[in-house]
Protein backbone atom coordinates (compact mmCIF):
# COMPACT_ATOMS: atom_id res chain seq x y z
CA UNK A 1 0.00 0.00 0.00
CA UNK A 2 1.09 3.54 -0.68
CA UNK A 3 0.85 6.59 1.54
CA UNK A 4 1.97 7.87 4.90
CA UNK A 5 -0.51 5.81 6.91
CA UNK A 6 -0.11 2.21 7.89
CA UNK A 7 -2.84 -0.23 6.96
CA UNK A 8 -4.06 -0.26 10.58
CA UNK A 9 -4.61 3.48 10.95
CA UNK A 10 -7.21 4.45 8.35
CA UNK A 11 -10.36 3.91 10.43
CA UNK A 12 -8.79 5.47 13.51
CA UNK A 13 -7.66 8.52 11.55
CA UNK A 14 -11.15 9.05 10.16
CA UNK A 15 -12.70 8.63 13.60
CA UNK A 16 -10.34 11.16 15.20
CA UNK A 17 -10.98 13.67 12.43
CA UNK A 18 -14.76 13.31 12.59
CA UNK A 19 -15.02 13.41 16.37
CA UNK A 20 -12.88 16.51 16.67
CA UNK A 21 -14.05 18.59 13.71
CA UNK A 22 -15.45 22.00 14.62
CA UNK A 23 -16.74 24.76 12.43
CA UNK A 24 -13.69 26.83 13.34
CA UNK A 25 -11.50 24.37 11.45
CA UNK A 26 -13.57 24.69 8.28
CA UNK A 27 -12.38 27.35 5.80
CA UNK A 28 -14.99 29.90 4.66
CA UNK A 29 -15.28 28.31 1.21
CA UNK A 30 -16.02 24.93 2.80
CA UNK A 31 -18.62 26.48 5.08
CA UNK A 32 -20.32 27.94 2.01
CA UNK A 33 -20.48 24.53 0.34
CA UNK A 34 -21.78 22.85 3.50
CA UNK A 35 -24.59 25.41 3.86
CA UNK A 36 -25.45 24.94 0.19
CA UNK A 37 -25.32 21.16 0.61
CA UNK A 38 -27.79 21.16 3.49
CA UNK A 39 -30.13 23.63 1.78
CA UNK A 40 -30.04 21.72 -1.49
CA UNK A 41 -30.67 18.40 0.26
CA UNK A 42 -33.69 19.76 2.16
CA UNK A 43 -35.22 21.07 -1.06
CA UNK A 44 -34.64 17.83 -2.94
CA UNK A 45 -36.15 15.80 -0.08
CA UNK A 46 -39.23 18.02 -0.07
CA UNK A 47 -39.72 17.54 -3.80
CA UNK A 48 -39.15 13.81 -3.40
CA UNK A 49 -41.94 13.72 -0.82
CA UNK A 50 -44.44 14.22 -3.63
CA UNK A 51 -43.45 11.04 -5.45
CA UNK A 52 -45.50 7.87 -5.75
CA UNK A 53 -45.91 4.60 -3.91
CA UNK A 54 -42.27 3.59 -3.62
CA UNK A 55 -41.22 6.69 -1.72
CA UNK A 56 -44.53 6.95 0.07
CA UNK A 57 -43.96 3.48 1.55
CA UNK A 58 -40.99 4.82 3.52
CA UNK A 59 -42.96 7.81 4.77
CA UNK A 60 -45.95 5.66 5.75
CA UNK A 61 -43.75 3.17 7.59
CA UNK A 62 -41.92 5.97 9.41
CA UNK A 63 -45.19 7.49 10.57
CA UNK A 64 -46.57 4.11 11.60
CA UNK A 65 -43.74 3.70 14.11
CA UNK A 66 -44.96 6.66 16.14
CA UNK A 67 -42.57 8.71 18.20
CA UNK A 68 -41.43 12.28 17.88
CA UNK A 69 -38.35 14.47 18.04
CA UNK A 70 -37.66 14.86 14.32
CA UNK A 71 -39.61 15.86 11.22
CA UNK A 72 -40.49 14.20 7.92
CA UNK A 73 -39.70 17.06 5.55
CA UNK A 74 -42.44 18.04 3.13
CA UNK A 75 -45.03 16.37 5.35
CA UNK A 76 -44.41 18.31 8.61
CA UNK A 77 -44.93 15.03 10.44
CA UNK A 78 -43.17 14.31 13.76
CA UNK A 79 -41.51 10.90 14.03
CA UNK A 80 -38.67 9.27 15.95
CA UNK A 81 -35.20 10.37 14.76
CA UNK A 82 -34.17 7.03 13.21
CA UNK A 83 -37.36 6.96 11.19
CA UNK A 84 -37.06 10.61 10.18
CA UNK A 85 -33.67 9.64 8.76
CA UNK A 86 -35.32 6.62 7.13
CA UNK A 87 -38.11 8.60 5.46
CA UNK A 88 -36.10 11.67 4.52
CA UNK A 89 -33.18 9.55 3.35
CA UNK A 90 -35.40 7.60 0.96
CA UNK A 91 -36.51 10.92 -0.55
CA UNK A 92 -32.97 12.32 -0.71
CA UNK A 93 -32.01 10.33 -3.79
CA UNK A 94 -35.47 9.54 -5.17
CA UNK A 95 -35.25 12.32 -7.76
CA UNK A 96 -31.51 11.91 -8.35
CA UNK A 97 -31.32 15.68 -7.98
CA UNK A 98 -28.97 15.91 -5.00
CA UNK A 99 -25.31 16.96 -4.93
CA UNK A 100 -22.52 14.66 -6.04
CA UNK A 101 -18.75 14.41 -5.90
CA UNK A 102 -18.04 13.93 -9.58
CA UNK A 103 -14.60 12.34 -9.29
CA UNK A 104 -15.87 9.52 -7.06
CA UNK A 105 -19.59 9.50 -8.02
CA UNK A 106 -20.47 9.55 -4.32
CA UNK A 107 -23.68 11.34 -3.23
CA UNK A 108 -22.95 12.10 0.44
CA UNK A 109 -25.82 14.46 1.24
CA UNK A 110 -28.61 11.98 0.50
CA UNK A 111 -27.57 9.85 3.48
CA UNK A 112 -25.64 12.26 5.68
CA UNK A 113 -28.01 15.24 5.80
CA UNK A 114 -31.14 13.24 6.79
CA UNK A 115 -29.19 11.43 9.51
CA UNK A 116 -27.62 14.60 10.90
CA UNK A 117 -30.83 16.64 10.82
CA UNK A 118 -32.83 13.90 12.53
CA UNK A 119 -30.45 13.58 15.47
CA UNK A 120 -29.73 17.30 15.60
CA UNK A 121 -33.40 18.28 15.67
CA UNK A 122 -34.11 15.80 18.45
CA UNK A 123 -31.23 17.15 20.52
CA UNK A 124 -31.65 20.84 19.75
CA UNK A 125 -28.18 21.02 18.22
CA UNK A 126 -26.76 24.30 17.02
CA UNK A 127 -26.28 25.25 13.40
CA UNK A 128 -22.51 25.23 13.91
CA UNK A 129 -22.61 21.62 15.12
CA UNK A 130 -24.87 20.63 12.25
CA UNK A 131 -22.44 22.12 9.76
CA UNK A 132 -19.49 20.33 11.36
CA UNK A 133 -21.42 17.05 11.42
CA UNK A 134 -22.47 17.25 7.77
CA UNK A 135 -18.93 18.16 6.79
CA UNK A 136 -17.47 15.26 8.79
CA UNK A 137 -19.96 12.74 7.39
CA UNK A 138 -19.67 13.91 3.81
CA UNK A 139 -15.88 14.11 3.96
CA UNK A 140 -15.83 10.54 5.28
CA UNK A 141 -17.98 9.31 2.42
CA UNK A 142 -15.92 11.02 -0.24
CA UNK A 143 -12.54 9.99 1.18
CA UNK A 144 -13.65 6.35 1.23
CA UNK A 145 -14.79 6.76 -2.37
CA UNK A 146 -11.40 8.20 -3.29
CA UNK A 147 -9.62 5.28 -1.69
CA UNK A 148 -11.00 2.73 -4.15
CA UNK A 149 -8.58 1.38 -6.74
CA UNK A 150 -10.21 1.45 -10.18
CA UNK A 151 -13.87 0.59 -10.67
CA UNK A 152 -14.68 -1.12 -7.40
CA UNK A 153 -17.98 -2.44 -8.77
CA UNK A 154 -16.43 -4.26 -11.72
CA UNK A 155 -16.37 -8.03 -11.42
CA UNK A 156 -18.61 -8.14 -8.34
CA UNK A 157 -22.31 -8.55 -7.68
CA UNK A 158 -22.25 -5.89 -4.97
CA UNK A 159 -23.54 -2.35 -5.55
CA UNK A 160 -20.63 -1.00 -3.56
CA UNK A 161 -20.55 2.79 -3.85
CA UNK A 162 -23.96 3.50 -2.24
CA UNK A 163 -22.90 1.55 0.86
CA UNK A 164 -20.53 4.40 1.67
CA UNK A 165 -23.54 6.52 2.61
CA UNK A 166 -24.25 4.47 5.73
CA UNK A 167 -20.75 5.13 7.06
CA UNK A 168 -20.99 8.84 6.32
CA UNK A 169 -24.40 8.96 8.01
CA UNK A 170 -23.02 7.19 11.11
CA UNK A 171 -20.15 9.66 11.32
CA UNK A 172 -22.43 12.67 10.88
CA UNK A 173 -24.92 11.45 13.48
CA UNK A 174 -22.05 10.48 15.75
CA UNK A 175 -20.60 13.98 15.57
CA UNK A 176 -23.93 15.41 16.79
CA UNK A 177 -24.00 12.84 19.62
CA UNK A 178 -20.47 13.77 20.66
CA UNK A 179 -18.96 10.33 20.11
CA UNK A 180 -15.36 9.82 21.15
CA UNK A 181 -12.91 8.63 18.47
CA UNK A 182 -13.19 5.07 19.79
CA UNK A 183 -16.99 5.22 19.69
CA UNK A 184 -16.92 6.79 16.23
CA UNK A 185 -14.85 3.90 14.91
CA UNK A 186 -17.41 1.46 16.29
CA UNK A 187 -20.24 3.49 14.74
CA UNK A 188 -18.63 2.94 11.33
CA UNK A 189 -18.45 -0.81 12.00
CA UNK A 190 -22.05 -0.93 13.21
CA UNK A 191 -23.21 0.87 10.08
CA UNK A 192 -21.41 -1.62 7.82
CA UNK A 193 -23.20 -4.44 9.60
CA UNK A 194 -26.63 -3.10 8.62
CA UNK A 195 -26.41 -2.51 4.88
CA UNK A 196 -25.52 -4.34 1.71
CA UNK A 197 -26.34 -3.74 -1.95
CA UNK A 198 -26.88 -5.93 -5.00
CA UNK A 199 -26.17 -4.85 -8.56
CA UNK A 200 -29.44 -6.53 -9.50
CA UNK A 201 -31.10 -3.18 -8.76
CA UNK A 202 -29.34 -1.79 -11.84
CA UNK A 203 -30.94 -4.21 -14.28
CA UNK A 204 -34.25 -5.30 -12.75
CA UNK A 205 -36.79 -2.88 -14.26
CA UNK A 206 -39.20 -3.46 -11.37
CA UNK A 207 -36.68 -2.50 -8.69
CA UNK A 208 -37.01 0.83 -6.87
CA UNK A 209 -34.05 0.32 -4.54
CA UNK A 210 -31.65 2.39 -6.60
CA UNK A 211 -33.87 5.42 -5.98
CA UNK A 212 -34.62 4.99 -2.28
CA UNK A 213 -31.45 3.28 -1.03
CA UNK A 214 -30.38 6.20 1.14
CA UNK A 215 -33.30 5.65 3.47
CA UNK A 216 -31.59 2.45 4.58
CA UNK A 217 -28.22 4.21 4.83
CA UNK A 218 -29.46 7.17 6.86
CA UNK A 219 -31.42 5.02 9.31
CA UNK A 220 -28.47 2.64 9.69
CA UNK A 221 -26.21 5.60 10.44
CA UNK A 222 -28.45 6.95 13.18
CA UNK A 223 -28.87 3.53 14.80
CA UNK A 224 -25.13 2.81 14.55
CA UNK A 225 -24.22 6.11 16.21
CA UNK A 226 -26.80 5.68 18.97
CA UNK A 227 -25.60 2.13 19.70
CA UNK A 228 -21.97 3.22 19.75
CA UNK A 229 -22.90 5.96 22.23
CA UNK A 230 -24.33 3.24 24.44
CA UNK A 231 -21.11 1.25 24.34
CA UNK A 232 -21.85 -1.40 21.73
CA UNK A 233 -18.81 -2.66 19.81
CA UNK A 234 -18.86 -3.80 16.20
CA UNK A 235 -15.26 -4.62 15.35
CA UNK A 236 -11.96 -2.77 15.35
CA UNK A 237 -10.54 -1.06 12.26
CA UNK A 238 -13.76 -1.55 10.30
CA UNK A 239 -12.44 -0.32 6.98
CA UNK A 240 -9.08 -2.06 6.77
CA UNK A 241 -9.40 -5.01 9.17
CA UNK A 242 -9.24 -8.59 8.01
CA UNK A 243 -12.80 -9.31 6.79
CA UNK A 244 -13.52 -5.56 7.04
CA UNK A 245 -15.03 -3.26 4.43
CA UNK A 246 -12.19 -3.34 1.91
CA UNK A 247 -11.76 -7.06 2.37
CA UNK A 248 -15.44 -7.67 1.71
CA UNK A 249 -16.10 -5.32 -1.16
CA UNK A 250 -12.83 -4.17 -2.73
CA UNK A 251 -10.62 -7.28 -2.83
CA UNK A 252 -8.61 -5.62 -0.05
CA UNK A 253 -7.31 -3.07 -2.53
CA UNK A 254 -7.38 0.55 -1.40
CA UNK A 255 -5.18 3.61 -1.43
CA UNK A 256 -4.57 5.03 2.07
CA UNK A 257 -3.24 8.26 0.53
CA UNK A 258 -6.90 9.19 0.04
CA UNK A 259 -7.05 9.88 3.79
CA UNK A 260 -4.09 12.25 3.87
CA UNK A 261 -4.73 15.81 5.01
CA UNK A 262 -7.92 15.15 6.99
CA UNK A 263 -8.94 18.42 8.60
CA UNK A 264 -6.52 20.37 6.41
CA UNK A 265 -7.78 19.65 2.90
CA UNK A 266 -11.53 19.34 2.42
CA UNK A 267 -13.03 17.39 -0.46
CA UNK A 268 -16.32 19.05 0.47
CA UNK A 269 -15.04 22.01 -1.53
CA UNK A 270 -15.22 19.84 -4.68
CA UNK A 271 -18.93 19.04 -4.43
CA UNK A 272 -21.12 19.53 -7.49
CA UNK A 273 -24.75 20.63 -7.50
CA UNK A 274 -27.13 19.30 -10.12
CA UNK A 275 -29.09 21.50 -12.51
CA UNK A 276 -31.18 18.54 -13.75
CA UNK A 277 -32.96 15.74 -11.83
CA UNK A 278 -31.23 12.82 -13.57
CA UNK A 279 -28.27 10.53 -13.02
CA UNK A 280 -25.07 12.57 -13.03
CA UNK A 281 -23.74 10.35 -15.82
CA UNK A 282 -26.41 11.78 -18.15
CA UNK A 283 -25.72 15.44 -17.43
CA UNK A 284 -23.01 16.21 -20.00
CA UNK A 285 -25.24 14.66 -22.68
CA UNK A 286 -28.26 16.72 -21.65
CA UNK A 287 -26.12 19.85 -21.66
CA UNK A 288 -24.47 19.13 -25.03
CA UNK A 289 -27.81 18.36 -26.67
CA UNK A 290 -29.38 21.58 -25.40
CA UNK A 291 -26.33 23.65 -26.36
CA UNK A 292 -26.14 22.25 -29.90
CA UNK A 293 -29.86 22.73 -30.42
CA UNK A 294 -29.59 26.39 -29.40
CA UNK A 295 -26.31 27.08 -31.19
CA UNK A 296 -27.55 25.76 -34.53
CA UNK A 297 -31.17 26.86 -34.25
CA UNK A 298 -32.50 23.32 -34.37
CA UNK A 299 -35.91 21.98 -33.42
CA UNK A 300 -36.82 18.44 -32.44
CA UNK A 301 -38.24 17.71 -35.91
CA UNK A 302 -34.79 18.44 -37.40
CA UNK A 303 -33.08 15.61 -35.50
CA UNK A 304 -32.76 12.24 -37.22
CA UNK A 305 -30.52 10.59 -34.63
CA UNK A 306 -28.00 11.03 -31.84
CA UNK A 307 -24.61 9.45 -31.18
CA UNK A 308 -23.03 9.51 -27.72
CA UNK A 309 -19.61 8.50 -26.40
CA UNK A 310 -19.81 7.35 -22.78
CA UNK A 311 -17.35 6.28 -20.11
CA UNK A 312 -17.07 2.59 -19.21
CA UNK A 313 -18.65 3.26 -15.82
CA UNK A 314 -21.77 4.78 -17.33
CA UNK A 315 -22.24 2.27 -20.14
CA UNK A 316 -25.04 0.96 -17.90
CA UNK A 317 -27.00 4.15 -18.71
CA UNK A 318 -27.24 2.91 -22.29
CA UNK A 319 -27.65 -0.82 -21.75
CA UNK A 320 -29.62 -2.97 -21.87
CA UNK A 321 -30.93 -0.97 -24.79
CA UNK A 322 -34.58 -1.92 -24.51
CA UNK A 323 -34.64 -0.85 -20.86
CA UNK A 324 -32.87 2.46 -21.51
CA UNK A 325 -34.73 3.40 -24.70
CA UNK A 326 -38.19 2.49 -23.40
CA UNK A 327 -37.85 2.87 -19.61
CA UNK A 328 -40.79 1.29 -17.73
CA UNK A 329 -40.54 3.53 -14.69
CA UNK A 330 -39.05 6.81 -13.48
CA UNK A 331 -35.94 5.16 -12.05
CA UNK A 332 -35.06 3.54 -15.36
CA UNK A 333 -35.69 6.81 -17.19
CA UNK A 334 -33.47 8.92 -14.92
CA UNK A 335 -30.70 6.38 -15.39
CA UNK A 336 -31.02 6.44 -19.17
CA UNK A 337 -28.84 8.58 -21.42
CA UNK A 338 -31.04 7.90 -24.50
CA UNK A 339 -34.25 8.91 -22.72
CA UNK A 340 -32.69 11.95 -20.98
CA UNK A 341 -31.19 13.25 -24.22
CA UNK A 342 -34.41 12.67 -26.15
CA UNK A 343 -36.37 14.47 -23.45
CA UNK A 344 -34.00 17.42 -23.58
CA UNK A 345 -34.29 17.66 -27.37
CA UNK A 346 -38.06 17.20 -27.60
CA UNK A 347 -39.08 19.25 -24.56
CA UNK A 348 -36.25 21.76 -24.55
CA UNK A 349 -35.03 20.75 -21.11
CA UNK A 350 -35.17 18.24 -18.28
CA UNK A 351 -37.28 19.10 -15.23
CA UNK A 352 -39.09 17.59 -12.29
CA UNK A 353 -41.85 16.25 -14.54
CA UNK A 354 -39.58 14.81 -17.25
CA UNK A 355 -39.77 11.21 -15.99
CA UNK A 356 -43.47 11.03 -15.17
CA UNK A 357 -45.77 8.40 -16.63
CA UNK A 358 -46.96 10.90 -19.22
CA UNK A 359 -43.43 11.88 -20.25
CA UNK A 360 -42.32 8.26 -20.53
CA UNK A 361 -45.20 7.61 -22.87
CA UNK A 362 -44.52 10.60 -25.16
CA UNK A 363 -44.21 9.11 -28.69
CA UNK A 364 -41.80 11.82 -29.85
CA UNK A 365 -39.42 11.20 -26.94
CA UNK A 366 -39.56 7.44 -27.33
CA UNK A 367 -39.00 7.68 -31.08
CA UNK A 368 -35.84 9.78 -30.65
CA UNK A 369 -34.60 7.72 -27.69
CA UNK A 370 -34.75 4.71 -30.00
CA UNK A 371 -32.39 6.51 -32.39
CA UNK A 372 -29.63 7.16 -29.84
CA UNK A 373 -26.52 5.07 -30.56
CA UNK A 374 -23.67 4.77 -28.09
CA UNK A 375 -20.04 3.76 -27.99
CA UNK A 376 -17.73 3.37 -25.02
CA UNK A 377 -14.78 5.74 -24.72
CA UNK A 378 -11.44 4.95 -23.09
CA UNK A 379 -11.93 7.20 -20.06
CA UNK A 380 -10.43 6.71 -16.58
CA UNK A 381 -12.62 6.37 -13.51
CA UNK A 382 -12.11 9.99 -12.41
CA UNK A 383 -13.50 11.20 -15.76
CA UNK A 384 -16.61 9.06 -15.73
CA UNK A 385 -18.90 12.06 -16.15
CA UNK A 386 -17.18 13.18 -19.40
CA UNK A 387 -18.53 12.38 -22.85
CA UNK A 388 -19.17 13.28 -26.49
CA UNK A 389 -22.38 13.83 -28.42
CA UNK A 390 -23.34 14.30 -32.07
CA UNK A 391 -26.71 15.43 -33.39
CA UNK A 392 -27.55 14.06 -36.84
CA UNK A 393 -30.08 16.12 -38.78
CA UNK A 394 -32.70 15.11 -41.31
CA UNK A 395 -30.74 17.11 -43.89
CA UNK A 396 -27.55 15.11 -43.33
CA UNK A 397 -25.67 17.60 -41.17
CA UNK A 398 -23.69 16.47 -38.14
CA UNK A 399 -23.09 18.73 -35.13
CA UNK A 400 -20.62 17.54 -32.48
CA UNK A 401 -19.64 18.49 -28.94
CA UNK A 402 -17.47 17.17 -26.12
CA UNK A 403 -17.50 18.01 -22.42
CA UNK A 404 -15.04 17.13 -19.68
CA UNK A 405 -17.06 18.42 -16.72
CA UNK A 406 -20.83 18.73 -16.38
CA UNK A 407 -22.52 21.95 -15.32
CA UNK A 408 -22.54 22.32 -11.55
CA UNK A 409 -18.99 21.03 -11.17
CA UNK A 410 -16.80 23.30 -8.99
CA UNK A 411 -15.04 24.51 -12.15
CA UNK A 412 -18.45 25.33 -13.67
CA UNK A 413 -20.60 26.06 -10.61
CA UNK A 414 -24.27 26.87 -10.44
CA UNK A 415 -24.82 30.44 -9.28
CA UNK A 416 -26.31 31.22 -5.88
CA UNK A 417 -29.40 32.51 -7.65
CA UNK A 418 -29.75 29.26 -9.61
CA UNK A 419 -29.42 27.21 -6.43
CA UNK A 420 -32.05 29.36 -4.72
CA UNK A 421 -34.40 28.95 -7.70
CA UNK A 422 -33.85 25.19 -7.53
CA UNK A 423 -34.73 25.16 -3.83
CA UNK A 424 -37.90 27.19 -4.39
CA UNK A 425 -39.01 24.90 -7.21
CA UNK A 426 -38.34 21.78 -5.15
CA UNK A 427 -40.01 23.08 -1.99
CA UNK A 428 -43.06 24.02 -4.01
CA UNK A 429 -43.54 20.35 -4.97
CA UNK A 430 -43.93 19.14 -1.37
CA UNK A 431 -47.24 17.58 -0.28
CA UNK A 432 -47.46 20.39 2.29
CA UNK A 433 -45.56 23.16 0.47
CA UNK A 434 -44.31 26.20 2.36
CA UNK A 435 -45.45 29.58 1.16
CA UNK A 436 -43.11 32.27 -0.15
CA UNK A 437 -42.73 33.85 3.30
CA UNK A 438 -41.75 30.53 4.85
CA UNK A 439 -39.25 29.79 2.10
CA UNK A 440 -37.72 33.24 2.49
CA UNK A 441 -37.41 32.69 6.26
CA UNK A 442 -35.74 29.32 5.76
CA UNK A 443 -33.24 30.62 3.20
CA UNK A 444 -32.44 33.59 5.41
CA UNK A 445 -31.85 31.33 8.39
CA UNK A 446 -29.65 28.99 6.35
CA UNK A 447 -27.51 31.90 5.22
CA UNK A 448 -26.57 32.44 8.88
CA UNK A 449 -26.66 28.79 9.91
CA UNK A 450 -23.42 28.82 11.91
CA UNK A 451 -24.99 31.36 14.29
CA UNK A 452 -28.26 29.47 14.82
CA UNK A 453 -28.71 28.17 18.39
CA UNK A 454 -31.22 25.41 17.48
CA UNK A 455 -31.60 23.71 14.09
CA UNK A 456 -35.12 22.63 15.03
CA UNK A 457 -36.38 26.20 14.85
CA UNK A 458 -35.08 26.49 11.27
CA UNK A 459 -36.73 23.23 10.23
CA UNK A 460 -39.96 24.48 11.78
CA UNK A 461 -40.02 27.40 9.33
CA UNK A 462 -40.91 24.91 6.60
Amino acid sequence: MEGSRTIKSVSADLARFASGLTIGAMPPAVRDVVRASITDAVGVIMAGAALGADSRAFVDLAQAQGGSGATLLGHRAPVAPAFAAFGNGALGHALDFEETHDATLVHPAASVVPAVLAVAEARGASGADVMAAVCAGSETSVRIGQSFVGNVQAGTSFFVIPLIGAMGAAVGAGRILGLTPAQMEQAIALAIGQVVGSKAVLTDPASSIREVRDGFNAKAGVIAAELALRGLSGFASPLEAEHGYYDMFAKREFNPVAFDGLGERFEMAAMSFKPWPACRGAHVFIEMALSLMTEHGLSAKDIAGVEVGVSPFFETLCEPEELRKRPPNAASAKFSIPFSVASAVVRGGVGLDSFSDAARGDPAILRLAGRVAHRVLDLPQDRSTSGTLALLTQGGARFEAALDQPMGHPTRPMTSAALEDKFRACAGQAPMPPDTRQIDAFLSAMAALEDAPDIGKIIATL
Side-chain angles (χ1 to χ4, degrees):
M1 299 298 171
E2 300 176 356
S4 61
R5 288 170 168 72
T6 67
I7 193 170
K8 295 185 181 298
S9 71
V10 172
S11 299
D13 284 352
L14 262 179
R16 281 193 297 271
F17 155 74
S19 296
L21 183 64
T22 64
I23 195 169
M26 296 160 52
V30 173
R31 296 187 196 185
D32 290 343
V33 173
V34 171
R35 277 193 301 271
S37 176
I38 299 169
T39 305
D40 188 71
V42 169
V44 169
I45 289 167
M46 294 179 72
L51 294 180
D54 295 329
S55 298
R56 183 71 206 186
F58 282 76
V59 172
D60 288 347
L61 181 57
Q63 290 183 281
Q65 305 309 303
S68 61
T71 302
L72 287 173
L73 297 168
H75 294 277
R76 301 178 191 163
V79 294
F83 278 93
F86 181 67
N88 291 333
L91 306 178
H93 184 65
L95 290 168
D96 213 326
F97 207 6
E98 79 280 19
E99 62 162 38
T100 184
H101 184 265
D102 286 337
T104 59
L105 305 174
V106 173
H107 300 262
S111 297
V112 173
V113 172
V116 169
L117 290 184
V119 178
E121 187 181 4
R123 293 196 164 231
S126 70
D129 280 341
V130 167
M131 290 177 67
V134 168
C135 185
S138 295
E139 194 76 13
T140 294
S141 296
V142 171
R143 295 301 188 104
I144 294 172
Q146 287 182 318
S147 72
F148 292 140
V149 178
N151 182 354
V152 71
Q153 291 181 175
T156 176
S157 294
F158 291 111
F159 194 20
V160 178
I161 292 177
L163 304 181
I164 296 172
M167 293 182 277
V171 164
R175 171 60 182 78
I176 293 293
L177 294 174
L179 297 189
T180 66
Q183 291 171 327
M184 190 71 82
E185 194 168 343
Q186 294 308 312
I188 294 172
L190 292 166
I192 292 172
Q194 297 178 69
V195 293
V196 72
S198 165
K199 283 169 69 175
V201 304
L202 304 180
T203 55
D204 183 346
S207 175
S208 302
I209 299 302
R210 187 168 185 170
E211 291 182 283
V212 296
R213 67 201 186 197
D214 291 282
F216 300 111
N217 287 340
K219 177 174 173 283
V222 170
I223 290 174
E226 291 280 9
L227 290 173
L229 180 66
R230 288 159 174 78
L232 188 68
S233 293
F235 54 96
S237 304
L239 292 175
E240 68 277 12
E242 184 179 8
H243 310 309
Y245 182 76
Y246 292 120
D247 228 4
M248 289 189 290
F249 302 117
K251 302 177 183 177
R252 199 163 177 76
E253 294 182 340
F254 73 100
N255 185 1
V257 172
F259 301 98
D260 283 348
L262 285 166
E264 300 168 2
R265 173 178 59 81
F266 289 86
E267 284 297 322
M268 274 297 293
M271 288 298 172
S272 299
F273 293 91
K274 290 186 174 184
W276 299 293
C279 176
R280 190 59 165 164
H283 277 220
V284 289
F285 304 101
I286 294 170
E287 183 177 354
M288 287 186 287
L290 292 173
S291 295
L292 287 175
M293 295 289 288
T294 300
E295 180 183 352
H296 298 286
L298 302 170
S299 65
K301 69 178 185 299
D302 295 320
I303 307 304
V306 183
E307 295 176 359
V308 296
V310 304
S311 68
F313 188 89
F314 281 121
E315 185 180 7
T316 59
L317 300 192
C318 296
E319 296 182 352
E321 290 197 15
E322 178 61 24
L323 176 66
R324 299 309 173 202
K325 293 181 177 181
R326 300 188 70 86
N329 52 36
S332 300
K334 285 180 289 188
F335 289 92
S336 166
I337 288 172
F339 189 87
S340 296
V341 168
S343 181
V345 169
V346 172
R347 294 194 164 195
V350 174
L352 289 168
D353 63 347
S354 293
F355 307 105
S356 65
D357 291 346
R360 294 197 316 279
D362 187 322
I365 295 176
L366 292 175
R367 186 164 49 249
L368 184 55
R371 297 173 181 170
V372 177
H374 76 277
R375 62 189 177 94
V376 180
L377 305 177
D378 184 17
L379 291 171
Q381 182 73 8
D382 63 359
R383 289 190 59 208
S384 292
T385 55
S386 304
T388 64
L389 180 140
L391 294 180
L392 313 179
T393 72
Q394 301 287 357
R398 179 186 180 92
F399 300 108
E400 299 180 339
L403 268 179
D404 281 333
Q405 303 292 357
M407 187 182 299
H409 186 272
T411 60
R412 307 179 62 221
M414 292 178 67
T415 65
S416 297
L419 284 171
E420 181 177 312
D421 287 345
K422 175 183 173 180
F423 178 84
R424 291 181 184 278
C426 284
Q429 296 293 312
M432 298 183 68
D435 59 29
T436 300
R437 178 188 58 79
Q438 291 169 314
I439 291 176
D440 289 344
F442 176 80
L443 291 173
S444 177
M446 290 301 298
L449 181 58
E450 53 261 66
D451 299 320
D454 185 348
I455 188 66
K457 293 181 179 178
I458 296 179
I459 294 173
T461 64
L462 295 174

